[in-house]
Amino acid sequence: MESRGQKRSEIDDELPADKRACSSLEFRPSTSSSSQTPINSVSSTPERNDQNNDHADHMDTESEGGEPEKDSAYDSCDEDEEDQRHSDLRDYQRRRASGDHGKFQTIISSLSEEVDLSQHLVMLTELCEVLSFCTEDSLSGDTSNSLSPILVKLARDETSADIMLLAIRAMTYLCDVYPKSSVYLVRHDAVPALCQRLLAIEYLDVAEQCLQALEKLSREQPLACLQAGAIMAVLNYIDFFSTSIQRVALSTVVNICKKLPSEGPSPFMDAVPTLCNLLQYEDPQLVENVAICLIRITERVSQSSEMLDELCKHGLIRQATHFMSLNSRTTLSQPIHNGLIGLLVKLSSGSVLAFRTLYELNISSILKDILSTYDLSHGMSSTHVVDGHCYQVYEVLKLLNELLPTSARDQDAPQLSEKESFLINQPELLENFGRDILPSLIQVVNSGANLYICYGCLSVINKLIYLSTSDMLVELLKNANISSFLAGVFTRKDPHVLVSTLRIAELILQKFSDNFLDSFIKEGVFFAIDALLTPEKCSLVTLNKCSKLVFPVSSGTRLLSDSSQKSASKEVLRCLCYAFPSSSPSGSEKGSCMLEKDSVYSLAKHVRTKYFAPELCDPDKSLTDVLQKLRTFSASLSDLMNMSLDTCAPNQHEESFYGIMHQVMEKLSGREPISTFELIESGILKSLMTYLSNDWYLRQKGDLVAAKGDIYAVEKRFEVFARLLFSSPDPFSGDLPIVTLIRRLQSSLSTLENFPVILSHIPKQRNSYATVPYERYTAYPCMRARFVRDKEETTLGDCCEDVLTVDPFSSLDAVEGYVWPKVNAKGTSRIKSATVEGQSECTPSNASSSQGGCPNTGEPESMSADLPELKADEVNLTQPEPEQEPSFGQTNPGTSLDETYTDTVEKEVEAQSEEDTQMEEQCPLSCSNEDASPKLLFYLEGKQLERSLTLYQAILQQQMKEHEIVIGSKLWSKVYTLTYRKAVGQEGAHNEGVDSAESSTVSDKVGVYTLYTSLFSNMFPCELASDLEKSNPTYDIVYLLKSLESMNKFIFHLMSRQRICAFAEGKINDLDAFQIAVTSVPQNEFLSSKLTEKLEQQMRDGLAVPVGGMPLWCNQLMASCPFLFSFEVKCKYFRLASFVPLLGQPPSPSHSDSGMTSDRRQSSGGLPRQKFLVFRNRILDSAAQMMELHACQKVLLEVEYDEEVGTGLGPTLEFYTLVSHEFQKSGLGMWREDGGSFTSGISHAEDTGILISPCGLFPRPWSSTMDASDGTQFSEVMKKFALLGKIVGKALQDGRVLDLHFSKAFYKLILGQDLGLYDIQSFDPVLGRTLLEFKALVERKRFLESVHGENTTFEFDSCFRKTRIEDLCLDFTLPGYPDFVLASGFDHKMVNSTNLEDYVSLMADATINSGISRQVEAFKSGFNQVFPIEHLQIFTEEELERLLCGERDSWAFNELLDHIKFDHGYTASSPPIVNVGVPLSCFVLKFRVNFSDVDIINFFGISVAGNHTRV
């Protein structure tokens, strides 16, 4: 016999003899009376399983790519032929059932007679054959009732092992074909007969067949099996069976344990030792079944302390904690893992022995590891996995509550005093428990936990402080910075959370008043408690709001139920008082709130009166020294802002600002910590932003009107600030000052932000029919609304008195499109007549996809017809409204370079405005859309709704302002009354915004001003989040973070400009000093882990399928401050915003947790597939034909090559690789590396002609007067850029990887950003550096002319590296492109010191503006045919490269494991996996430079696009 737990190769998951064809040869009686082990039923199993495995592998290969094929060109059949085949099949089944019925009667009569054994064998063999092929229609209750006693009698016949085997096999088949027959078998004592055979094993194959029969019976009759002793019967000799049979035995026990009787004897307890022993096996499926049995048994005996103690004596706790450990080699599913934690909750609740054992096993260390992974769920794409993880944390909190008994508060449980005395007698256990758990709980709350998890963490902290003694807790609380934590929790509005926080503060002050009183004042805890006593705050936390703040409470063990059971998916909504039963009495059945009225106010008043001295109420006396110092700095900045530049030289003004901020940074990085409260209360952040933005910061949109010349003052302030923040690192921490400031701001943001995560809690999604606005089915619930005309509105008609269903995620513009034709008085008669004619056609089956659209005849047409409207809606949702270009203050007087430079900027601005005016006049009238202006205004309960929001968002926004968030069924059942009135005076304002948006797209004149428009002009007027008031401190923090992120992004521009100014003023005389090396801050420093987790939670919600189903802060923060979120979360948001609304259905779930890669694959999971034939020798032509047919269609493309066999993922990835290489070939005229004679750092791959640029590809400039160059037609170049845009868009949509690396500057153009003179160096270092040096010479000339007059001579100063400009012999043609003439005329033949400025501007314009603008627009137009390119703007250039081309970094071993699916008993820690994975990671690291990302995908089967390797 093989050793237990080892994997047997001959048998896998399939049952060895389950419902397969039987032959008479197979059941030939043995001539020997000895052991019947070699019966063919067992020996034939491996062959059959191998065939099944081959079939399964074949099915896996077919389904690996995703959904089945849906291409009508490949699989088509005639409907009439299909119906005829079904009819013939039904006739055959009826004839077969009639014939089977006759066979059964013959067999029954033959088996009832007393005949010899051979005759019985023949009849039983025939019976098995008939049962193998018959259906449920062939059997009846009478037939089963007649067969049952005969089969039971034969199963008891010990004279022949073959007869027993065949009789038991017939029982198995009978239960399988006709499940109701189990009733008759039980009635005739089949279960005791089978148990008898198992308890006295004589023949191994008979015993195996008994196990299979009992498994079938236990499904329908678990109670009868329990009473007959089936549990011990199947477990008695389980070690003697193979792995697959062991699984069958455990399945039987699972079926019995699922329905254990609530009362009566407990024979199942005898099986506990065996079950606990089985937990040591290595087969995951076997162990999971054992765990389910033990979980069910524990639930059954949870009310008996004696039985719980008996469970503990068999090592159950030790085994359960072993599986909970992250180091366990046996990987269990998430529901089982949660169930084991729930098992420990039951044991610790009712057993003192279990309570002691858990402490002795150091359970806190395991729970600490689980809690520490709470914020690591960003990369999980499966909603099931994430939901399971949330339940896991909830179960951990319930266990922690049970492990901290407080008998003073729970008098109903007398045994709690014994547990508490145990902790008192061994304080070191509680101290170690607190050391592990307290920091983890604080981390969970700070990472953005939802409300009931936050409440659970506070409950555990409260109990821990209550039980701990003074000596052990003071140091622990100080290290955890409990004061700052409490100050952050006080920002929440739920009364339960506030009461728990107040109780914690009271306990700390009661035990350690001397130690924490000062820190409570420093961190603002005292001021937060004092604020709860104000009338404004009290109105927000009253208990009448509490009844609506309910959250799901579900036990983790419910996840173990069958998916068919309704109780498994049912969620009970209750008050937070009942979230953790151990902390509150369980007698209340109504679920009403248990808090008393004004409990928050009363407790807050008690704490302030008892523990805080009266003089602390005086603001002047309660200030700390740090706060007073910061207020002084804030006042100095305000004075500096108000100081007129007439009385202060610019340099002195800048140095004063530098000195103040230097002292502030010393305070922030000093050894004396600054609390978030001190930082915010001092006003230093608001003063800093006001000074840096020159007072734009707090202005409204309409107030941003001033002289644009003052932009130079803003730039100089940012230059000074950047010089300070990027100076030498701090000697203590080794970090740059900007890193210290960012981390301080991130900490404050995590403490203060209170963005809500609103979950819908829809129990089951179902299709709904939305009348408004497009009359179509939706995959989510619809809202009910009634549209009523405003009482004062006289020009509009009534809409409809009926209640209409409205798509909750449609914008108000779309709703207006439905309502306006019905209420417009001018077109009422026409609309009514059209409505009468079309009523017969407008039904749910052929509803129109848009107002005025044609009725649809099928679902695909409906989906495609809805696409334009959905695209427009999503652009409104994800992009901020167009803003007016900001204006600036008056010109700064002075005699230095500042005045001259400012005048130059003003002249450039004026010239640019004239160009804009001319272009706007040339714009045809068709560009303006008269229907784009809003026609109606909508009001809900008297308040106007914002047009940029969806109806769902508008309702949520109004509820949040009133602090009454309604969730659950009430949100959808309520009828909302929307009042409408005609929009008056809205046309002008809207057109003004359109003009502003259009003017912003016009290319600015290239020069120094391009830097300002791309950085400073767009920094301050943007809206961050509409639900944040500008007086909110969170607004100051986010705004300053946005400014720092922009400064970090443009640090090279700032420092280069500073060097140019220094050279112009003579402070620098060497042009080599322009080679600056500025180290920017890593982008992940700006990431907010708390906001990332919150957005992750929000996107898990069922209604987050489109981004319009999320709260407004999600969309607006993602649009204005995407740097706050991780790349993985941005990928998920990008998928929701770009693809899901176009599908009209939620994406197919993916059970992978590999981060971004699974996101890309999941984005195309719901798309239908389309095959396309490609010719290798004409790859670009094939790509053009493919995109022409399918670019606008939302299908997943798969490639097959002409005269080649095979299709699917591999050929498709190869196609995108080949297309990428074709676009990089020389001679296309697309890239500046191709054809330019002065480009640097360019090489060609041998024998391929592929361009290789170290800085990435950038478009080649083409003059507007050139139609061809070197035999290449510009029209062909434009077509190729349009095709490239389609290819890139389709690759992103389908989740494919391209081997096509663009330059950073080209990615900026794709993202809609402007390029400036400083960007040239990123793709052409030599040209960019030369132009900057020329620009420095121009600035020096201007400075000397302003100082000495225009007639001065400065030929030495104007020399370029000791050479006169005239001697360089430069003409006004683009270097490397002699056909590209920059300018013509007498003054622009040769470059000299006089026209050098024009030369630099024209060069930059030709390189990054006019010379490439048409190509870029062609690329964007092609891309927009797939999906709007604006959706990419949430990514940085580096992230877009990663999204399009995949990971370019080396892969670590752990990253490789994330892309491998383990099967057949292998886990991540299995020695073979480790032995293969480590060399593989080394190989990839060493040789990946020889492979593209796509080559590695094809070679190893490991992909950044969600492909996995199966081991």
Side-chain angles (χ1 to χ4, degrees), residues 952-966:
Y952 177 79
Q953 287 177 322
I955 293 175
L956 285 186
Q957 194 71 8
Q958 184 166 329
Q959 290 179 354
M960 284 189 288
K961 289 180 179 179
E962 298 175 357
H963 306 285
E964 294 185 1
I965 301 177
V966 180

Side-chain angles (χ1 to χ4, degrees), residues 938-1096:
F938 293 96
Y939 297 84
L940 179 63
E941 298 180 1
K943 298 182 180 179
Q944 184 177 345
L945 302 180
E946 299 181 35
R947 298 189 65 85
S948 62
L949 308 182
T950 63
L951 180 62
Y952 177 79
Q953 287 177 322
I955 293 175
L956 285 186
Q957 194 71 8
Q958 184 166 329
Q959 290 179 354
M960 284 189 288
K961 289 180 179 179
E962 298 175 357
H963 306 285
E964 294 185 1
I965 301 177
V966 180
I967 60 174
S969 59
K970 186 175 182 180
L971 177 70
W972 308 101
S973 61
K974 181 179 178 180
V975 178
Y976 299 92
T977 301
L978 297 179
T979 306
Y980 61 87
R981 59 185 303 175
K982 192 171 184 179
V984 179
Q986 296 291 324
E987 291 81 359
H990 185 80
N991 292 335
E992 181 181 0
V994 173
D995 293 340
S996 173
E998 291 177 354
S999 64
S1000 64
T1001 61
V1002 179
S1003 300
D1004 296 327
K1005 179 180 178 181
V1006 176
V1008 136
Y1009 182 64
T1010 307
L1011 167 64
Y1012 307 137
T1013 56
S1014 63
L1015 171 59
F1016 300 102
S1017 300
N1018 298 327
M1019 184 184 298
F1020 300 104
C1022 67
E1023 290 293 323
L1024 297 180
S1026 63
D1027 56 344
L1028 278 182
E1029 300 292 338
K1030 290 192 174 181
S1031 58
N1032 193 320
T1034 306
Y1035 190 90
D1036 302 331
I1037 297 172
V1038 174
Y1039 219 121
L1040 184 53
L1041 280 172
K1042 180 176 177 61
S1043 302
L1044 293 177
E1045 195 267 343
S1046 300
M1047 177 193 298
N1048 181 65
K1049 187 182 299 183
F1050 288 90
I1051 186 60
F1052 176 78
H1053 303 59
L1054 288 172
M1055 292 303 181
S1056 298
R1057 180 59 213 163
Q1058 186 180 9
R1059 296 296 179 91
I1060 290 177
C1061 293
F1063 182 85
E1065 296 177 1
K1067 299 177 181 178
I1068 299 177
N1069 294 318
D1070 188 4
L1071 290 176
D1072 290 331
F1074 279 49
Q1075 297 182 5
I1076 57 176
V1078 181
T1079 304
S1080 60
V1081 178
Q1083 195 68 22
N1084 58 6
E1085 290 286 349
F1086 295 94
L1087 186 147
S1088 171
S1089 58
K1090 185 176 182 181
L1091 288 179
T1092 297
E1093 173 63 28
K1094 281 193 170 184
L1095 183 58
E1096 178 80 27

